[in-house]
Amino acid sequence: MRLLSTSNLKLYEFYYASIPDYAILSHTWGKYEVSLQMMADPESKKLDGYAKIKHCCELALSEGRKYAWIDTCCIDKTSSADLSEAINSMYRWYERAQVCYVYLADVSAAIVDWQFRTSRWFRRGWTLQELLAPTTVVFYNKGWDELGTKWSLREEISHATGITHKQMIDHKRVNIAARMSWAALRETTRIEDTAYCLLGLFDINMPLLYGEGSQAFMRLQHEILQTQETDESIFAWRDAGYYRCGLLARSPAAFALSGNIRSVKNPNSHVTPPSVTKRLLTMDGLDSDSDYQLHGSMSYTRKPSPRIILHCANQGIDDTFIVMN
């Protein structure tokens, strides 16, 4: 893990046993960011991205923190191995940070108003884990004026994200469908990142394959099924745009209406968890006392049914079909 010295802005590498305390920055990328390779170039100091790095380090230093982590310059994005390690570790890096500074470049107001609630930061995929993972999160506007903390702004944050304060405190206990709904309206520059930005949220590690497109989200769901097999809310989604789409969703957008999904399973029922292999997903139908309900007009219910087999040939959605026998 590379960290920036807050006193001289030089990069130092640490391994897990020796990682010191550090602050971490959450932000949305602009046009003139400074990469790891650019840090040694004096011309980079003229860029807006460098000013952001400098202000973050100055803030951390003023609070007695010797190191800071910033994704623009602490990851070697020219190395696929470094990028893969960073993305698979990023949730943990935000989680173990002593403080997370959220820099809202599109908020100029010194008070929390509509600019805060409509900030681009609340619509980006990567910032979801950056909100949830750290214990201490402090928000700053474009001029680095403090706006408040995740605690003091909990009502405004909940309004902007659809995540309740209780869920923010213990988000890992929230069911899969609800967690997916938090990402439903968020955007990423690359389609694969709609899946990769959720790895930490579901305690998943998997190789990155840029170029695979929407298959990244299919792979993520397969991994979730193998590690969290007792939570069948992963099937509680709706995608009106596709007729033949099997049991797995094409993107987090399909969970947009699943925010209030809750399990009302009969504690006396016994259902075999889904079994997943690379090409096959099998599951038993739930009994009549088992369902997932959504407050409002939509409900997801599985009544007694034969064994269901979902066959994903080469994990390709166009080759997916359901066989019931």
Side-chain angles (χ1 to χ4, degrees), residues 13-25:
E13 192 158 357
F14 298 91
Y15 296 95
Y16 284 96
S18 61
I19 295 175
D21 291 350
Y22 59 91
I24 201 164
L25 179 68

Side-chain angles (χ1 to χ4, degrees), residues 36-94:
L36 182 147
Q37 289 76 16
M38 295 168 65
M39 285 295 289
D41 184 357
E43 291 297 309
S44 297
K45 295 182 178 180
K46 301 175 183 178
L47 300 177
D48 291 342
Y50 190 88
K52 183 163 45 178
I53 292 170
K54 186 171 181 290
H55 277 99
C56 175
C57 288
E58 288 176 347
L59 177 59
L61 185 62
S62 71
E63 295 179 346
R65 308 185 195 283
K66 296 181 179 180
Y67 296 96
W69 188 89
I70 304 173
D71 58 356
T72 52
C73 61
C74 290
I75 304 173
D76 184 359
K77 298 172 188 68
T78 65
S79 166
S80 58
D82 199 78
L83 183 61
S84 180
E85 178 187 4
I87 289 178
N88 276 285
S89 303
M90 201 173 296
Y91 181 94
R92 294 190 297 274
W93 290 350
Y94 275 90

